[in-house]
Amino acid sequence: VTVVISVIADPGPAPEPVSPTLVLEGEMAVIRMDAATAGVHILEISRDLVDWEEIEIKELLEPGALEFQPIDTGGMSPFFFRIGVRE
């Protein structure tokens, strides 16, 4: 299984880099990270880095722990995640 996670944010002052953690259990995935910014965090999944499907939205009122779970990968291989932020 190939997994790539990328974190994207709106332009502005660059926050400290974050390192998401991905745990796979069968076809289910859990992503955890310390979010450097507050706002609406959007998790998307793709098979080809062209077509993206929004799978979860979480709002943080302040920077801190963020967890997306459980995520059903549907047996896709390879698959890619990206996390976007709207402040």
Side-chain angles (χ1 to χ4, degrees), residues 5 19-23 30-33:
I5 299 175
S19 296
T21 302
L22 174 72
V23 177
V30 177
I31 296 176
R32 294 182 185 98
M33 63 184 261

